[in-house]
């Protein structure tokens, strides 16, 4: 598999799919590459078919169409793309299914280890140092940004996302998610000492 070609396809697809960014600094391709790297790290500990995991992680956010689930659109694009490069049909179906349901983090359905890894990698990219940075930059984009507003946003994120650890499908991801929550908690504690 030529991953460099897949990455170029993903980059072009994300650039052209019309998905509006929720913030000017939120780059969907960079998110995809972080998810890809996390998926590979998780697979090394959890197992599963590395190629299926890597391709599903790379292609998980290629789709966007107003009024439709982006996983469904992405699965259609990924299946068509993988078929066009002659990828084995039995693996295409598995990758398409992972992409189709990757955003349903609260599902109780029986999932393959490959699907669990991709879901967890996607979830991990939304919490930790990256979320502190995100909340700080988002606050800077608002009217009258301040350290206090950033602190309040980070704390609100922390409180709202702490229960989402239940969404982790693997123990490895659960441990990492918990480690990241601890980082945010320690950051908030230190920030409180410096601000108030």
């Amino acid at each position: 598999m030529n991953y460099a070609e897949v990455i170029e396809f993903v980059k072009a697809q994300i650039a052209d799919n019309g998905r509006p960014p929720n913030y000017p600094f939120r780059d969907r391709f960079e998110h995809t590459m972080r998810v890809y790297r996390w998926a590979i790290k998780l697979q090394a500990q959890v197992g599963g078919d590395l190629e299926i995991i890597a391709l599903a992680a790379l292609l998980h956010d290629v789709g966007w169409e107003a009024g439709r689930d982006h996983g469904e659109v992405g699965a259609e694009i990924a299946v068509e793309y993988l078929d066009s490069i002659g990828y084995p049909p039995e693996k295409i179906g598995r990758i398409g299914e992972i992409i189709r349901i990757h955003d349903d983090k609260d599902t109780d359905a029986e999932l393959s280890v490959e699907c669990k890894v991709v879901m967890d990698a996607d979830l991990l990219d939304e919490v930790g140092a990256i979320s502190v940075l995100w909340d700080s930059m988002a606050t800077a984009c608002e009217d009258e940004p301040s350290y206090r507003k950033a602190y309040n946003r980070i704390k609100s994120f922390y409180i709202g996302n702490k229960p989402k650890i239940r969404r982790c499908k693997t123990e490895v991801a659960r441990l990492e998610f918990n480690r990241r929550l601890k980082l945010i908690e320690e950051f908030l504690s230190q920030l409180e000492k410096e601000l108030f």
Side-chain angles (χ1 to χ4, degrees), residues 141-183:
C141 291
E142 296 172 358
D143 292 335
E144 300 179 34
S146 70
Y147 291 150
R148 184 180 290 272
K149 283 176 89 173
Y151 163 80
N152 288 332
R153 185 181 175 109
I154 294 163
K155 188 168 185 175
S156 177
F157 173 90
Y158 171 76
I159 291 166
N161 282 277
K162 193 172 181 180
K164 291 182 181 176
I165 193 166
R166 73 182 186 290
R167 292 179 170 178
C168 293
K169 307 298 181 202
T170 65
E171 185 59 28
V172 174
R174 204 169 289 110
L175 290 170
E176 179 63 22
F177 193 97
N178 204 37
R179 188 183 69 74
R180 291 175 181 213
L181 286 175
K182 184 78 173 151
L183 179 141

Side-chain angles (χ1 to χ4, degrees), residues 105-107 111 116 119-120 167-171 174:
K105 306 285 193 295
D106 289 317
T107 185
L111 303 171
K116 290 176 182 179
M119 284 177 142
D120 282 352
R167 292 179 170 178
C168 293
K169 307 298 181 202
T170 65
E171 185 59 28
R174 204 169 289 110

Side-chain angles (χ1 to χ4, degrees), residues 25-182:
F25 57 84
R26 177 94 158 95
D27 186 292
R28 185 68 47 185
F29 178 70
E30 288 177 7
H31 158 74
T32 296
M33 295 309 295
R34 290 190 305 270
V35 170
Y36 168 65
R37 288 189 297 273
W38 265 107
I40 291 169
K41 290 176 189 175
L42 290 173
Q43 186 278 339
Q45 296 181 64
V46 175
D49 186 316
L50 178 58
E51 193 170 81
I52 286 176
I53 289 168
L55 289 170
L58 283 171
L59 295 161
H60 84 280
D61 268 354
V62 294
W64 180 258
E65 187 178 310
R68 285 187 67 200
D69 179 76
H70 85 276
E72 184 179 305
V73 177
E76 291 169 6
I77 292 167
V79 165
E80 185 178 310
Y81 169 71
L82 292 169
D83 186 54
S84 76
I85 62 170
Y87 197 68
E90 64 278 4
K91 289 190 171 191
I92 292 175
R94 292 176 65 194
I95 293 166
E97 180 62 11
I98 292 168
I99 295 167
R100 188 181 68 74
I101 65 172
H102 82 272
D103 217 25
D104 187 10
K105 306 285 193 295
D106 289 317
T107 185
D108 290 327
E110 189 70 31
L111 303 171
S112 68
V113 67
E114 293 84 5
C115 189
K116 290 176 182 179
V117 166
V118 172
M119 284 177 142
D120 282 352
D122 192 35
L123 181 64
L124 287 172
D125 189 53
E126 306 295 332
V127 67
I130 198 95
S131 64
V132 171
L133 187 59
W134 180 340
D135 286 337
S136 299
M137 292 176 75
T139 303
C141 291
E142 296 172 358
D143 292 335
E144 300 179 34
S146 70
Y147 291 150
R148 184 180 290 272
K149 283 176 89 173
Y151 163 80
N152 288 332
R153 185 181 175 109
I154 294 163
K155 188 168 185 175
S156 177
F157 173 90
Y158 171 76
I159 291 166
N161 282 277
K162 193 172 181 180
K164 291 182 181 176
I165 193 166
R166 73 182 186 290
R167 292 179 170 178
C168 293
K169 307 298 181 202
T170 65
E171 185 59 28
V172 174
R174 204 169 289 110
L175 290 170
E176 179 63 22
F177 193 97
N178 204 37
R179 188 183 69 74
R180 291 175 181 213
L181 286 175
K182 184 78 173 151

